Amino acid sequence: MPASLLALKRKIASVKQTGKITEAMRMVSASKLNQTEKRDKGYTIYNDHVRQTLSRLMSAEVVNHLHKANVAIDNESISKIDYENVFGLGIVSDMVQARKKVNSTGYLVITGDRGLVGSYNSAVIKNMMGLFEDSRAEHKDIKVLAVGSVGADFFKKNNLNVVYENDNISDVPTFDEVLPIVSTAIKMYLNGVYDELYVCYTHHINSLSSAFRVEKMLPIVDIDIGVKEAEAHKDLEYDIEPNVNAVLTTLIPQYARSTIYGAILDAKTAEHASSMTAMQSATDNVDDLVSSLTTKLNRARQAEITTEITEIVSGANALK
């Protein structure tokens, strides 16, 4: 067999073997995607219930405070409330009250630990560099908390201030596994390492699409505090022991931890979806390449057979 035919056969066999690997990786990513999607949906329901409870408890306390102070009880007066006056000094007001001056901003950036996930990591990094430019323009100090080795390595290489990094997150993370990350992020905020914290990650929409998302996690700004929530609190008639402040002191950090965990879980779901799509695309490309190489092989065989027939006929004619 000519060397060209042998080389084509070997290349086809090699490409087919690669296709088997990419298909296996696609199936693994699909399985992980299914697991994280289920966990993400369940945790979103839990987080929404915690958020509703916080909104009602804090709204009731704020409304009671305004009532005692003989201040008009409406959403405008509630929006101007100083939480230290309501809850006193402590973790409740620290995590809800915006700081008067923001000198430093923390960014908890979630990327992956490996490649073969399409544009998942590069999209996060590209968007983050734009955010960093905006922060520099506002003369804010940048502190990066990197979850995932791809992001951590890139940010350190570009001389950004990485104050924390973690690359030990499993493909289907549990809350206990993520707890050291979120606890560290909250502790740094309370200790003044940064004055606000944003979580930046890829939000999973479906298996084919995702979107870069930036959410302000600290101080907590997404709790609905208003008259409507206070009325809902009265309708439910909570029995609170020992008191509202004690409950909120436990519940607010728990809400912050669960929200950050939800973001990490969402990001992992998007990563698996991106990996599955990339491996599907690679498998399709393998099929196209095998088809193209097979066509070349058949043409080479046809040319070889034609050459052999020509040589036989030429030899026969020479003998006449």
Side-chain angles (χ1 to χ4, degrees):
M1 183 180 294
S4 59
L5 289 178
L6 187 60
L8 280 170
K9 281 192 172 183
R10 286 176 176 171
K11 191 169 185 179
I12 290 171
S14 175
V15 171
K16 284 182 176 179
Q17 190 63 33
T18 301
K20 291 179 181 178
I21 294 171
T22 56
E23 176 60 17
M25 292 175 71
R26 185 198 67 79
M27 294 174 67
V28 170
S29 294
S31 175
K32 291 176 180 177
L33 173 62
N34 185 49
Q35 294 178 62
T36 52
E37 276 185 329
K38 287 180 179 177
R39 186 166 292 182
D40 192 17
K41 288 177 182 177
Y43 209 79
T44 299
I45 294 171
Y46 162 78
N47 205 41
D48 286 345
H49 281 300
V50 175
R51 181 173 173 275
Q52 285 180 2
T53 303
L54 272 177
S55 297
R56 289 164 179 167
L57 288 176
M58 293 186 69
S59 295
E61 283 299 290
V62 169
V63 167
N64 288 339
H65 174 81
L66 293 175
H67 180 73
K68 291 176 182 177
N70 292 320
V71 177
I73 300 172
D74 52 40
N75 286 332
E76 184 179 352
S77 59
I78 288 174
S79 65
K80 297 177 181 178
I81 198 76
D82 185 345
Y83 292 106
E84 286 187 8
N85 292 333
V86 182
F87 303 104
L89 293 171
I91 198 167
V92 178
S93 56
D94 281 347
M95 295 185 70
V96 178
Q97 185 81 54
R99 292 177 182 172
K100 294 179 180 178
K101 188 174 181 181
V102 177
N103 296 314
S104 177
T105 301
Y107 293 97
L108 195 156
V109 187
I110 306 168
T111 60
D113 295 319
R114 62 182 187 277
L116 302 177
V117 289
S119 61
Y120 174 80
N121 292 315
S122 59
V124 174
I125 290 171
K126 181 180 178 180
N127 282 289
M128 287 311 305
M129 296 308 288
L131 278 178
F132 295 153
E133 286 299 320
D134 293 341
S135 290
R136 290 191 186 99
E138 296 173 4
H139 305 290
K140 291 180 181 178
D141 192 16
I142 297 169
K143 307 288 178 64
V144 180
L145 295 85
V147 177
S149 60
V150 174
D153 293 342
F154 178 86
F155 297 137
K156 286 189 290 186
K157 190 181 293 184
N158 285 270
N159 300 317
L160 287 157
N161 187 8
V162 179
V163 296
Y164 176 82
E165 62 178 293
N166 188 303
D167 58 1
N168 294 317
I169 300 299
S170 66
D171 290 326
V172 186
T174 63
F175 182 79
D176 288 340
E177 180 185 351
V178 174
L179 186 57
I181 298 173
V182 295
S183 296
T184 300
I186 293 170
K187 190 181 295 183
M188 284 183 172
Y189 172 76
L190 295 175
N191 290 339
V193 176
Y194 36 77
D195 300 310
E196 56 184 2
L197 175 66
Y198 290 88
V199 176
C200 312
Y201 65 100
T202 303
H203 167 59
H204 173 69
I205 299 173
N206 55 50
S207 298
L208 298 176
S209 60
S210 59
F212 180 71
R213 180 175 283 185
V214 180
E215 293 183 348
K216 191 171 187 177
M217 292 294 178
L218 293 171
I220 298 171
V221 295
D222 64 339
I223 299 176
D224 298 322
I225 300 177
V227 178
K228 180 181 176 182
E229 286 71 30
E231 291 300 323
H233 167 78
K234 288 181 180 178
D235 293 341
L236 290 173
E237 295 183 354
Y238 288 110
D239 289 327
I240 301 171
E241 292 293 342
N243 54 61
V244 172
N245 254 15
V247 172
L248 290 175
T249 298
T250 300
L251 202 56
I252 284 182
Q254 173 62 20
Y255 176 67
R257 286 192 290 266
S258 64
T259 304
I260 297 173
Y261 169 66
I264 293 174
L265 196 58
D266 193 5
K268 275 295 179 183
T269 305
E271 181 182 354
H272 296 321
S274 182
S275 176
M276 184 182 72
T277 302
M279 291 303 100
Q280 180 63 61
S281 178
T283 303
D284 293 342
N285 289 337
V286 163
D287 294 338
D288 293 341
L289 185 56
V290 167
S291 177
S292 176
L293 289 172
T294 302
T295 300
K296 286 184 180 180
L297 178 63
N298 291 337
R299 286 175 179 172
R301 281 174 174 169
Q302 187 177 14
E304 183 186 6
I305 292 169
T306 301
T307 301
E308 289 177 355
I309 292 173
T310 303
E311 290 175 352
I312 291 171
V313 171
S314 299
N317 290 334
L319 291 174
K320 288 181 181 180

